[in-house]
Amino acid sequence: MTEHIVVVGAALVDDGRLLAARRSAPAELAGRWELPGGKVEPGETADAALVRELREELGVDAEPGMRVPGEWPLRPPYVLHVWTARLRPGSPAPQPLQDHDALRWLGLDEIWDVDWLDQDVPALRQTLTRL
Ligand code: 9L3
Ligand code: MG
């Protein structure tokens, strides 16, 4: 298990819509949509990493909810975990500050309208059963 490094992705939900973020980097992922997030740092808990990543990438003040059961392989040694999250009262609205060039709030009937990263598709399918 120590050979895995966890990447946390946030299923950030507000007013019944899910936030999707379009990557601007690296080049091979640019233009594809993801659940925003990033790598858990050594000694950091997953929920703390989620809050930190969402602050850095989107400028928001997020509250982690529950971890969605499951683990999805990324390029080794990374694996994707998903957590639900909400905006805390008074949080700024998300902005693409870093690594993204567009954001969309998707209604639950619009989820598949964007071109998600391959690995986010099964994670998202599982997540949708929990929202
Ligand atoms: N990744 C895949 N799906 C996601 C996230 C947040 C990340 N929902 C992949 C993309 C990168 C790696 O994980 O290859 C590390 O992510 P980041 O730290 O570049 O966001
Ligand atoms: Mg990231």
Side-chain angles (χ1 to χ4, degrees):
M1 62 161 283
T2 48
E3 63 271 19
H4 282 175
I5 299 176
V6 174
V7 172
V8 286
L12 183 64
V13 175
D14 190 57
D15 200 17
R17 294 171 308 159
L18 174 79
L19 189 74
R22 191 172 68 191
R23 289 195 70 113
S24 53
E28 62 272 22
L29 303 182
R32 309 286 298 280
W33 295 74
E34 69 171 6
L35 297 174
K39 300 172 189 104
V40 178
E41 292 177 353
E44 189 179 40
T45 62
D47 57 338
L50 191 84
V51 171
R52 176 183 54 72
E53 288 285 345
L54 295 182
R55 183 181 305 116
E56 291 172 359
E57 294 188 345
L58 305 172
V60 298
D61 186 14
E63 175 175 37
M66 53 156 265
R67 182 178 158 200
V68 175
E71 177 170 276
W72 296 276
L74 300 168
R75 183 185 170 149
Y78 299 105
V79 294
L80 179 64
H81 290 184
V82 175
W83 287 67
T84 64
R86 301 198 321 182
L87 295 176
R88 290 187 195 273
S91 169
Q95 298 183 72
L97 299 178
Q98 183 183 294
D99 297 341
H100 302 116
D101 61 6
L103 301 177
R104 269 186 75 175
W105 286 107
L106 300 171
L108 294 184
D109 56 342
E110 300 173 314
I111 297 292
W112 305 110
D113 289 2
V114 302
D115 185 19
W116 294 96
L117 290 179
D118 293 342
Q119 306 91 337
D120 283 42
V121 170
L124 197 48
R125 261 198 216 106
Q126 179 66 24
T127 299
L128 290 175
T129 71
R130 304 283 165 155
L131 292 184

